[in-house]
Amino acid sequence: MKIKPYDHTYLEDVSDNLGTMLEYAFKCGFNPIVIWEIFASSVVAREIEMANPKYLAGYSGRDYLDILIDTGPTNEDKLLAKTSAANDDQCYWAGWALARLQYECGQSFFKINRFFPIQSVLELYEALHEADIQKFIDLGIRRLKEKECETNLKTLRLSCGLTQAALATISQVDLRSIQMYEQRRNDINKAQADTLLKLSKTLHCKIEDLFEY
């Protein structure tokens, strides 16, 4: 049986908080897509994933947003950029639904956003917001499984729009090494710390996001 990331009694609080976070961000004029991308790699997401009761139920969605604004990137133009999100109901549903998906699949919010980006979730609002949430969860899990055959390195590289050669040039990591890691012929978990640091800096991710589990 799959182990859930935290006790089910917290699920409604977390779902409502993430929905409220995106809804309130939209009402404040922030780009909800950017806010979610900041959230996915933030301490808030990590503490939820680690089942910290303070973050599961002690904070509100507005508290989440305040933490992200205080600790996240300060590029105001990016935060205030226009978005195709239609309304605050759409934003609430996206955050609420993604909380349910993360609870069911047990993957990190960062990984979910890489494989099932928030923009795609927002676009599903009209089709799925009145349907049983299990339909959305099943779709999300299918998308995650389809991508699991790719290494995290390849997924991150593609998300940055880089070829293997470009990644090698920018990161100064040997092209052949990158190819071997992506083919799983070499274990990236055993790569030298300097190599991992160069790749993580180039791909704007944490070192642990490169690891295979």
Side-chain angles (χ1 to χ4, degrees):
M1 183 175 67
K2 185 183 296 182
I3 298 175
K4 302 300 184 183
Y6 49 83
D7 190 274
H8 186 269
T9 56
Y10 290 112
L11 179 57
E12 193 57 47
D13 285 329
V14 175
S15 302
D16 182 62
N17 283 347
L18 291 183
T20 300
M21 179 187 76
L22 284 189
E23 177 186 31
Y24 187 58
F26 182 80
K27 288 180 176 179
C28 290
F30 294 123
N31 185 318
I33 296 171
V34 175
I35 291 296
W36 187 263
E37 290 173 347
I38 294 172
F39 162 77
S41 57
S42 71
V43 65
V44 178
R46 295 298 175 94
E47 294 296 338
I48 292 172
E49 292 158 8
M50 294 172 63
N52 183 334
K54 183 176 181 179
Y55 283 80
L56 296 177
Y59 285 130
S60 68
R62 294 189 179 192
D63 292 331
Y64 286 176
L65 182 61
D66 288 342
I67 294 170
L68 298 183
I69 298 301
D70 289 342
T71 61
T74 56
N75 187 327
E76 187 172 340
D77 290 339
K78 189 175 181 181
L79 285 172
L80 298 175
K82 296 295 183 182
T83 175
S84 60
N87 55 56
D88 48 6
D89 288 338
Q90 184 178 8
C91 293
Y92 180 90
W93 177 82
W96 179 86
L98 283 165
R100 303 276 169 155
L101 174 59
Q102 193 275 332
Y103 177 80
E104 290 297 329
C105 73
Q107 301 287 357
S108 69
F109 287 104
F110 182 82
K111 183 174 182 178
I112 291 171
N113 194 53
R114 287 211 321 267
F115 295 158
F116 198 12
I118 182 67
Q119 179 65 56
S120 297
V121 177
L122 289 165
E123 291 169 357
L124 290 169
Y125 173 76
E126 290 299 332
L128 294 180
H129 78 282
E130 292 183 346
D132 189 308
I133 188 58
Q134 193 61 46
K135 187 173 182 179
F136 171 80
I137 291 169
D138 291 343
L139 173 61
I141 290 175
R142 282 199 304 273
R143 293 199 182 186
L144 289 169
K145 287 182 176 179
E146 287 169 359
K147 294 291 186 178
E148 281 183 344
C149 59
E150 297 181 353
T151 62
N152 291 335
L153 174 60
K154 181 177 180 179
T155 302
L156 287 163
R157 173 176 63 78
L158 293 175
S159 70
C160 290
L162 297 175
T163 63
Q164 289 178 333
L167 176 58
T169 299
I170 298 171
S171 67
Q172 297 185 332
V173 173
D174 180 69
L175 174 59
R176 183 59 179 159
S177 294
I178 291 173
Q179 293 171 336
M180 296 288 275
Y181 290 137
E182 290 195 1
Q183 294 168 11
R184 291 193 173 93
R185 295 176 66 183
N186 282 350
D187 186 355
I188 197 167
N189 294 7
K190 298 179 181 178
Q192 294 183 353
D194 183 55
T195 296
L196 293 169
L197 182 60
K198 289 178 179 178
L199 290 172
S200 66
K201 284 185 175 180
T202 303
L203 296 172
H204 310 293
C205 68
K206 296 179 174 64
I207 287 177
E208 55 264 35
D209 294 328
L210 296 167
F211 292 157
E212 299 293 319
Y213 298 98

